[in-house]
Amino acid sequence: MKVLIVDDEAPARDRLRQILDDEPGYEVVGEAGNGEEALHKLDQSQGQADSHIDLVLMDMYLPGCTGPELARMIRQDPRYEELPVVFMSAHAGLDEELAVLRDGGDGFLKKPVDQQHLVAGAGGVVGTVGRRGVELAGQRVHAEREPPLARAGI
């Protein structure tokens, strides 16, 4: 699984890269410190089989925009509608976690992220994107990008 890490803190990006480098089946193909860099990395990855991105790990608070704002920008491009985005933050509570999932996020990890949670979360999200929502704390949460008829059960 090829991963783009988006976090404004270099030590956080380094830690995530270390974790994923030690895990079979994961490869960090790009890093970005802000939203503009992330969009550029996504565009660069198009058409390149060796750097095609399967998952974005994104901090909730970035310079110039929030993670959810950036995720909405990414989702506006049809090429990335189904690209899984997992948010990360040390400062978010349950309300914020639920809000990002409702706004189109596919998962949430608390910082500092440990290897077990990162691998379980990333693998689970990639396996379920495009289904009818995600589950958090035993509660089913539906993403806004889901077609209205799917939300109505049609």
Side-chain angles (χ1 to χ4, degrees), residues 25-124:
Y26 290 86
E27 178 186 359
V28 176
V29 294
E31 294 182 22
N34 60 49
E36 186 176 326
E37 287 177 16
L39 293 171
H40 181 71
K41 296 284 184 183
L42 283 169
D43 285 340
Q44 280 183 324
S45 75
Q46 287 299 306
Q48 298 181 16
D50 62 333
S51 64
H52 176 77
I53 295 169
D54 300 311
L55 172 69
V56 178
L57 294 175
M58 186 184 309
D59 188 29
M60 277 189 54
Y61 305 101
L62 299 165
C65 68
T66 66
E69 289 169 342
L70 179 56
R72 282 191 292 277
M73 285 187 263
I74 291 170
R75 301 274 193 234
Q76 288 176 358
D77 187 324
R79 298 174 297 176
Y80 310 125
E81 281 180 333
E82 296 297 321
L83 179 65
V85 176
V86 174
F87 290 102
M88 304 171 295
S89 178
H91 308 291
L94 183 58
D95 289 342
E96 288 90 353
E97 292 175 35
L98 290 170
V100 297
L101 293 173
R102 284 189 190 105
D103 285 343
D106 298 295
F108 189 90
L109 295 168
K110 286 263 193 201
K111 287 182 174 180
V113 177
D114 67 34
Q115 184 167 3
Q116 181 179 3
H117 287 113
L118 177 57
V119 173

